[in-house]
Amino acid sequence: MTIDVAFSEMFPLGKDSTPYRKLTSDFVSVDTVGGREVVVVDPRALTLLAEEAFRDVSHLLRPGHLAQLRKIIDDPEASPNDRFVAIEMLKNANISAGGILPMCQDTGTAIIMGKKGQAIWTGANDALALSEGVANAYARLNLRYSQMAPLTMYDEVNTGNNLPAQIDLYATEGDAYKFMFMAKGGGSANKTFLYQQTKALLNPASLRKFLDEQIRTLGTSACPPYHLAIVIGGTSAETCLKTAKLASARYLDSLPTEGSKAGHAFRDLEAEAMVLEMTQQMGIGAQFGGKYFCHDVRVIRLPRHGASCPVAIGVSCSADRQILGKITRDGVFLEQMETDPAKYMPEVKTEKLSDEVVKIDLNRPMDEIRKTLSQYPIKTRVSLTGPMIVARDIAHAKLKERLDKGEGLPEYFKQHAVYYAGPAKTPDGMASGSFGPTTAGRMDAYVEQFQAAGGSMVMIAKGNRSKAVTEACHKHGGFYLGSIGGAAAILAQNSIKKVEVLEYAELGMEAIWKIEVEDFPAFIIVDDKGNDFFQKL
């Protein structure tokens, strides 16, 4: 009996057109085993490649991504806020390309996917060698250690080297070892969603309605404009989710654009165009209203079990950090990133991007600062100068413990604006490491209690807030200002003049800090009258 095997790889990718630069010819040789040539790779090649990959991906972007930022500035349909965000991101890229300040303060979880050809021989623990490269990069560069090791169900400690990395290695045919390296920050990773749907979704009207509803829930806290990925189907939920991550990195761009009975993945270009237009009509824009919620969209259709229809949605944020590498008989290679982002900068004066910029002196009493902010509507651009308190998740939890014990909030938390952020390491000779805003929504649960106690009256972070925050600001006379996500390096270089630990030094980057800023850019997002910019959209 003959069995018809219509086999196809799940992801039949086309030819690799990536531009590579050669790192070295060392650590690679060719030998013969059993009459067959094999490429012998010294594990030091893996360590070198991983370290260089995370060095480049922390500071440099792909030319295509930079060109998309420039496109926003040149598009007459882009809103002034779209253009302002794009300009700031290009300026940030120029600073980051100097190799001192990383493009984002959340320098991410290190993720490595490797496809090891059958004719590649290392004779070692490849994951260990790659992990050594990750640890080297995070120790030697001004990057942040973000990985928490659980000691018990409830107790954690920072690992102090940004390990463990997520490393997935696959066996494939051929004589090349191919890699994708990704640094994935928490804000972007938190915007990955799985929906368990049914075949009822698989018609144009239902799919469009579903996507319109779910894409809006992404919000802006992960630093748009996004590279948006949507995956429909999958042989399992985890395959669906992993495909979304790869698609957001444009790793699957060379997939076929039509399906077949063999059951392989394909890109649906018509659906991509439909969803991109949908995002342009939502009005969310590049964080503060406009057209450019997304740079582009990838829609991947996968085979599925007849009883299941998983759908995954994920994004790559403005810190668009992924890079390809490979090891062949010719040496060790890494994707060539853009080292001169300045050529994408237009001749545009920043002050022309908004009708009015309101200067706020943070040295004044909090009541006076709030009185000034109260004179202006949501969406007003402001420029902040003076002292701010920096506190995020763990610090907020510590302050809540004090309130719960009846101790009250410290005076510094009442007298100053609070910036939700956590710094990367400070380079020698600089006042601050990369120091961009973190996701505001993580602190929403504290706002009512803190404002009732006289604190958190002016908050600065990125992304949208819950209705509870809007109600608290209306009740207590508070404000939430949106800082520009994705511009951590430029904030460190241009706006942050002094950084000192104020309390809880043992928490590291989660400590409470006091910083001095100058011309720190932000927008009024939630005011004291119950207005929320994102709700107005």
Side-chain angles (χ1 to χ4, degrees):
M1 174 175 147
T2 301
I3 298 176
D4 181 20
V5 180
F7 172 78
S8 174
E9 292 185 23
M10 180 78 79
F11 301 98
L13 298 178
K15 183 179 179 181
D16 183 8
S17 59
T18 304
Y20 289 96
R21 65 183 181 92
K22 189 172 187 177
L23 299 182
T24 184
S25 297
D26 296 339
F27 312 128
V28 179
S29 61
V30 178
D31 204 344
T32 301
V33 178
R36 179 181 177 183
E37 284 191 345
V38 296
V39 179
V40 181
V41 177
D42 188 307
R44 288 177 292 176
L46 301 176
T47 302
L48 170 67
L49 182 58
E51 181 174 351
E52 290 298 311
F54 285 102
R55 178 188 302 275
D56 280 10
V57 85
S58 298
H59 292 280
L60 304 175
L61 290 159
R62 286 171 166 163
H65 177 83
L66 293 165
Q68 287 174 311
L69 287 172
R70 175 57 190 266
K71 177 185 174 184
I72 295 173
I73 299 164
D74 293 338
D75 185 354
E77 295 182 355
S79 71
N81 285 322
D82 282 337
R83 295 194 189 97
F84 175 68
V85 169
I87 281 280
E88 291 298 299
M89 288 179 176
L90 283 174
K91 289 161 63 178
N92 191 71
N94 278 287
I95 293 170
S96 178
I100 303 298
L101 291 167
M103 67 184 72
C104 180
Q105 83 284 350
D106 185 345
T107 49
T109 295
I111 299 172
I112 303 173
M113 182 184 70
K115 295 182 177 180
K116 187 177 186 180
Q118 299 287 4
I120 294 287
W121 188 77
T122 58
N125 184 333
D126 292 8
L128 173 60
L130 291 165
S131 295
E132 288 176 358
V134 172
N136 289 345
Y138 279 80
R140 293 169 178 169
L141 302 172
N142 296 308
L143 308 183
R144 193 172 85 188
Y145 305 141
S146 298
Q147 305 310 304
M148 307 298 293
L151 304 179
T152 69
M153 178 61 75
Y154 308 106
D155 300 312
E156 297 178 312
V157 62
N158 194 299
T159 61
N161 54 14
N162 216 57
L163 296 176
Q166 177 184 317
I167 301 176
D168 300 310
L169 302 178
Y170 301 88
T172 62
E173 61 183 357
D175 60 353
Y177 206 160
K178 298 179 180 180
F179 295 91
M180 184 187 73
F181 302 91
M182 176 184 291
K184 193 72 169 175
S188 177
N190 292 345
K191 295 301 180 180
T192 303
F193 298 102
L194 176 72
Y195 310 89
Q196 294 288 11
Q197 298 296 299
T198 68
K199 182 173 172 54
L201 185 70
L202 300 180
N203 64 79
S206 296
L207 181 61
R208 183 181 182 94
K209 181 176 184 296
F210 171 82
L211 293 177
D212 183 67
E213 292 174 351
Q214 302 307 329
I215 289 170
R216 292 175 187 273
T217 68
L218 291 172
T220 63
S221 60
C223 305
Y226 297 130
H227 299 281
L228 174 63
I230 299 165
V231 179
I232 299 166
T235 50
S236 63
E238 57 269 28
T239 295
C240 185
L241 284 167
K242 184 166 288 190
T243 303
K245 179 173 286 186
L246 295 175
S248 72
R250 280 83 72 213
Y251 182 80
L252 302 176
D253 275 10
S254 62
L255 281 174
T257 56
E258 292 181 346
S260 75
K261 194 174 181 179
H264 59 74
F266 68 91
R267 285 180 62 187
D268 188 321
L269 302 184
E270 183 178 345
E272 291 178 3
M274 178 270 289
V275 175
L276 181 60
E277 181 181 9
M278 179 192 302
T279 65
Q280 292 170 345
Q281 299 301 318
M282 288 178 177
I284 300 172
Q287 304 187 29
F288 301 107
K291 175 182 176 181
Y292 280 94
F293 186 52
C294 296
H295 284 302
D296 50 38
V297 177
R298 299 293 183 267
V299 178
I300 308 294
R301 183 68 161 88
L302 292 180
R304 67 184 184 90
H305 185 286
S308 303
C309 186
V311 177
I313 296 178
V315 299
S316 180
C317 67
S318 292
D320 186 44
R321 295 172 294 190
Q322 50 269 325
I323 187 170
L324 301 182
K326 64 181 180 180
I327 301 174
T328 71
R329 63 179 62 213
D330 298 318
V332 183
F333 299 84
L334 191 61
E335 181 178 354
Q336 178 63 62
M337 307 295 269
E338 180 57 72
T339 58
D340 183 23
K343 63 188 179 186
Y344 295 91
M345 288 287 292
E347 294 296 326
V348 176
K349 294 184 178 179
T350 304
E351 57 266 25
K352 292 185 178 181
L353 297 176
S354 181
D355 292 336
E356 183 176 21
V357 180
V358 179
K359 292 187 176 295
I360 304 294
D361 182 0
L362 298 176
N363 290 290
R364 293 160 55 199
M366 178 54 66
D367 286 346
E368 292 186 20
I369 294 171
R370 290 193 292 142
K371 185 177 180 180
T372 299
L373 289 171
S374 188
Q375 299 173 33
Y376 298 94
I378 55 173
K379 204 174 178 180
T380 298
R381 183 179 164 202
V382 297
S383 178
L384 310 173
T385 297
M388 290 197 291
I389 299 302
V390 177
R392 45 185 277 161
D393 308 66
I394 298 178
H396 274 68
K398 292 281 189 182
L399 294 175
K400 184 180 186 304
E401 289 176 5
R402 288 157 73 158
L403 282 177
D404 292 343
K405 294 176 182 177
E407 298 175 0
L409 289 174
E411 282 302 307
Y412 63 74
F413 216 76
K414 300 177 183 179
Q415 298 302 320
H416 297 294
V418 57
Y419 179 39
Y420 302 159
K425 285 182 286 188
T426 301
D428 292 339
M430 298 192 70
S432 171
S434 290
F435 213 152
T438 197
T439 303
R442 299 208 304 269
M443 267 57 73
D444 283 6
Y446 301 99
V447 174
E448 164 61 32
Q449 185 181 13
F450 282 19
Q451 288 192 343
S456 292
M457 300 310 296
V458 175
M459 302 163 285
I460 304 148
K462 67 177 181 178
N464 47 307
R465 307 300 297 264
S466 67
K467 185 178 180 181
V469 171
T470 304
E471 292 174 347
C473 287
H474 190 200
K475 178 180 178 181
H476 300 289
F479 294 84
Y480 166 54
L481 310 181
S483 181
I484 298 170
I490 190 173
L491 288 174
Q493 176 165 292
N494 293 351
S495 296
I496 299 176
K497 303 303 178 182
K498 184 179 179 181
V499 177
E500 59 180 331
V501 176
L502 202 58
E503 196 170 1
Y504 304 119
E506 69 275 10
L507 299 180
M509 70 94 176
E510 292 270 5
I512 294 179
W513 307 75
K514 185 177 182 181
I515 65 174
E516 293 282 339
V517 301
E518 183 178 307
D519 294 328
F520 187 103
F523 288 80
I524 300 177
I525 300 299
V526 176
D527 66 14
D528 57 347
K529 304 170 187 65
N531 297 309
D532 179 345
F533 168 70
F534 291 103
Q535 290 297 322
K536 295 293 183 182
L537 287 177

